[in-house]
Amino acid sequence: MSLYIDVKYLQQIGNRLPLFKKKSDRLWNCRCPICGDSTKKKNKARGYFFTKGNDLFYKCHNCDAGQHFGTFLKNFDGQLYSQYSLERYSNGENRRAHSNPEADLIKKFQWTLPEETLTPPPSLLDKLLPRVSDLDADHECRRFCADRGIPEYQLSRLYFIDDMRRIVQISPKMRDKIVTAEPRLVIPFRDRSGKLVGLTCRALRGESLRYIAVRIDEDAAQIFGQEDINPLTTVYAVEGPLDSLFLPNAVAVGGTGFLRLGDLGVEQRRLTVVIDNQPRNREVVAVYKKVIDAGYRVFFWPSKYSGVKDINDLVKATGLSSRQLAELVDDHSVSGLKAQAQLAVWKRV
Ligand SMILES: [Zn+2]
């Protein structure tokens, strides 16, 4: 009955695996959480779980990771693995079953890519709006992104709307709310499976209403970038979606609602929260306290950057690359008691 147990646990973690999908009773597919799959192609999903005899295996067609489901689960969620391990091996089955040389077994498995995955599912947004990466280099929206220093490779994640009133094509609820016809930068929010749940439309021409939020699924957590994160390495959480484009493996909560990160399915210790560099008032201190109490690592802005207000500003001031920025954040992030101690000092300065 060990296959039954493997499949049961796979289904349990399915909602935390990006683009997870059951293909048949013997095959499941997802974006690979080990290598993160393709950073450019959001629809790529090259991780497969497949049955072989009485066992379930994982194989990624991108990074060539190949492991028994037990090994996969151990790395993905250590706590759940302990439970799995008890259940799977309590009935006298040989514990060595999944520490056997898995690679050999996987090599023997004739690898074929299911045809379905070769065609990315059509996205509603792509039918209606161009991606910023497809606009001419001198296009207003493209220049807006370039002026902010947003990396070129991130532009395919953003869209452009030439007339804000057209948003009713995506969300009819907006019909009476949108009266102006300006163009805007469109930032899509998706759920873990890649389904569109909302949009934020950013002003390009200095309109006083800088952001217009369009909710498509009222109940879904509006966390930008969550469909793409690799939960097995550090995940950075920032306030603004555009700020998140400067860091690797990052999400944005669209404000200071960092406690929504609980929905991400990422272990707390792997989440580093970057709060905007605001004046140290009571509200900001309260946000830090909540984030620390929730068990996340938190970034304390080095004092030499006191004039910088957020990640985008920091990049403009320093020209740091995504990797360098991640290093800077890692070097100044702490959690638990250390974070509490640092907050106590920080709030008095
Ligand atoms: Zn992979």
Side-chain angles (χ1 to χ4, degrees), residues 31-37 46-47 58-65:
R31 270 171 85 76
C32 176
I34 297 169
C35 65
D37 228 301
R46 290 170 288 191
Y58 177 74
K59 169 100 173 102
C60 170
H61 215 60
N62 187 41
C63 66
D64 271 338

Side-chain angles (χ1 to χ4, degrees), residues 133-312:
S133 51
D134 293 331
L135 302 172
D136 290 337
D138 62 347
H139 188 283
E140 168 181 29
C141 186
R142 190 103 186 229
R143 274 191 282 117
F144 173 89
C145 295
D147 289 347
R148 265 149 200 81
I150 295 171
E152 284 273 314
Y153 62 85
Q154 295 282 27
L155 298 183
S156 61
R157 299 175 66 185
L158 307 172
Y159 292 78
F160 170 69
I161 189 165
D162 57 352
D163 177 341
M164 195 50 205
R165 291 170 304 183
R166 284 182 57 217
I167 205 75
V168 298
Q169 292 176 281
I170 295 162
S171 175
K173 283 179 290 190
M174 299 300 284
R175 190 166 298 280
D176 302 323
K177 293 183 191 162
I178 305 294
V179 288
T180 50
E182 76 278 7
R184 282 180 180 258
L185 170 67
V186 177
I187 304 164
F189 289 70
R190 304 180 196 275
D191 66 12
R192 286 306 301 271
S193 72
K195 194 182 91 191
L196 190 69
V197 295
L199 303 162
T200 286
C201 304
R202 168 89 169 66
L204 297 169
R205 298 179 178 172
E207 284 86 358
S208 56
L209 192 54
R210 203 192 285 183
Y211 292 98
I212 298 176
V214 179
R215 284 194 167 233
I216 292 163
D217 181 343
E218 296 283 344
D219 302 325
Q222 309 274 324
I223 303 176
F224 177 75
Q226 61 172 324
E227 73 281 14
D228 285 321
I229 52 161
N230 174 0
L232 300 185
T233 136
T234 302
V235 175
Y236 299 94
V238 304
E239 296 186 29
L242 296 183
D243 286 333
S244 77
L245 301 174
F246 296 97
L247 279 159
N249 210 32
V251 296
V253 294
T256 54
F258 289 105
L259 297 188
R260 274 172 258 156
L261 293 171
D263 298 340
L264 269 186
V266 175
E267 286 179 80
Q268 277 109 319
R269 66 188 173 95
R270 290 204 164 112
L271 263 161
T272 296
V273 171
V274 178
I275 300 162
D276 284 353
N277 196 16
Q278 293 141 320
R280 299 174 190 185
N281 57 36
R282 266 173 61 193
E283 281 115 75
V284 175
V285 171
V287 173
Y288 271 87
K289 192 171 179 309
K290 272 187 199 164
V291 165
I292 295 164
D293 288 347
Y296 303 129
R297 282 169 68 84
V298 64
F299 173 62
F300 284 94
W301 289 81
S303 52
K304 67 170 170 175
Y305 298 125
S306 60
V308 153
K309 68 178 191 301
D310 55 30
I311 290 289
N312 197 347

